[in-house]
Amino acid sequence: MQELWDRVVGTQPDPPRWLMAVTGIVALAAVLNRPVWRPLRTVVTIAHEGGHALAALLSGRRLTGIRLHSDTSGVTLSVGRPTGFGMVVTAFAGYVTPSLLGMGGAALLASGHITMTLWITLLWLALMLTMIRNVYGAFALVVVGGVVFAVSWLAKYQVQAGFAYLLVWFLLIAGIRPVFELQQLRRRGQAQWSDADQLATLTRIPGAAWVGLFGVVNAVCLGVAAGWLLAAA
């Protein structure tokens, strides 16, 4: 156990600079390529729904379950007041969580905590698994968690570093695309129950303003985190 603890909390040497750059380019290509983006979007949905769940708990609501669907959508159910601060925070958290997680991962990577980044990811997935209420959701979490565990436990250091940087870059870049997709759906009248529209109902601030705020937060996260990662390189 002591060896495992030292491995998780210890620091690792920075990977080659070219690896940091290549993983960012690969992540960008994955987000922009529609056939690749489609299955990988589930990773963003996991972060999105996990953000709703964490915000619900922190704001005093009672979390009752999370569902992930094969069309890359998801839903998080919680019990509490239907209005007020807790509901606003819960509704807001989803679209910004992937980017916030990416920024947190970038901070860990910039300080040399590559293994810790992977194990915190595993902890996030394990906690979500306890609240999953459908088969596909459990399957998705087990698959993603299995990949992260295999890399963190069995792979060589260079592979771990490449995977961790790829995951962090992906969360940072991928956090932006769903915001644009959301606004496109809203323009076509296909997202009446979106997080932005729920926030509009709760606060009387237009849904478009909330979409814009999602985008600003995610863009700032990408800019700040990219600065950390590039400075480390």
Side-chain angles (χ1 to χ4, degrees):
M1 290 299 295
Q2 184 63 44
E3 180 181 353
L4 175 61
W5 176 255
D6 292 340
R7 181 176 176 181
V8 172
V9 302
T11 59
Q12 294 78 40
D14 292 334
R17 294 184 179 182
W18 64 264
L19 183 63
M20 300 180 187
V22 168
T23 51
I25 294 171
V26 171
L28 177 61
V31 172
L32 295 179
N33 186 287
R34 185 179 294 273
V36 177
W37 165 250
R38 181 67 179 179
L40 290 182
R41 198 183 192 281
T42 297
V43 176
V44 180
T45 303
I46 290 172
H48 180 114
E49 299 304 330
H52 282 314
L54 181 60
L57 292 172
L58 292 178
S59 61
R61 299 179 63 82
R62 181 167 62 86
L63 184 64
T64 58
I66 303 171
R67 291 177 177 269
L68 305 173
H69 303 134
S70 58
D71 63 355
T72 73
S73 65
V75 62
T76 298
L77 302 175
S78 61
V79 176
R81 289 183 56 193
T83 59
F85 177 76
M87 192 62 200
V88 171
V89 171
T90 300
F92 179 78
Y95 276 96
V96 299
T97 296
S99 295
L100 290 173
L101 290 176
M103 187 168 69
L108 289 173
L109 293 180
S111 60
H113 292 286
I114 293 172
T115 303
M116 184 183 292
T117 301
L118 298 177
W119 278 74
I120 289 177
T121 302
L122 280 174
L123 178 61
W124 177 276
L125 295 172
L127 291 175
M128 283 191 65
L129 186 60
T130 65
M131 296 305 301
I132 283 292
R133 297 294 181 263
N134 68 323
V135 174
Y136 178 82
F139 171 76
L141 285 173
V142 169
V143 169
V144 175
V147 172
V148 176
F149 177 77
V151 171
S152 65
W153 190 256
L154 301 175
K156 295 181 179 180
Y157 159 72
Q158 294 86 346
V159 176
Q160 288 188 26
F163 183 84
Y165 272 85
L166 179 62
L167 176 62
V168 166
W169 277 119
F170 179 76
L171 288 173
L172 289 167
I173 299 171
I176 295 176
R177 177 164 178 169
V179 178
F180 286 98
E181 294 176 342
L182 170 62
Q183 186 58 22
Q184 290 174 350
L185 290 174
R186 295 184 70 255
R187 287 176 180 174
R188 296 196 293 263
Q190 299 176 344
Q192 293 91 341
W193 298 104
S194 71
D195 294 348
D197 293 284
Q198 291 184 49
L199 286 165
T201 301
L202 291 167
T203 64
R204 298 185 181 179
I205 299 173
W210 288 107
V211 175
L213 184 57
F214 294 155
V216 169
V217 171
N218 293 353
V220 169
C221 287
L222 174 58
V224 171
W228 292 341
L229 293 175
L230 296 176

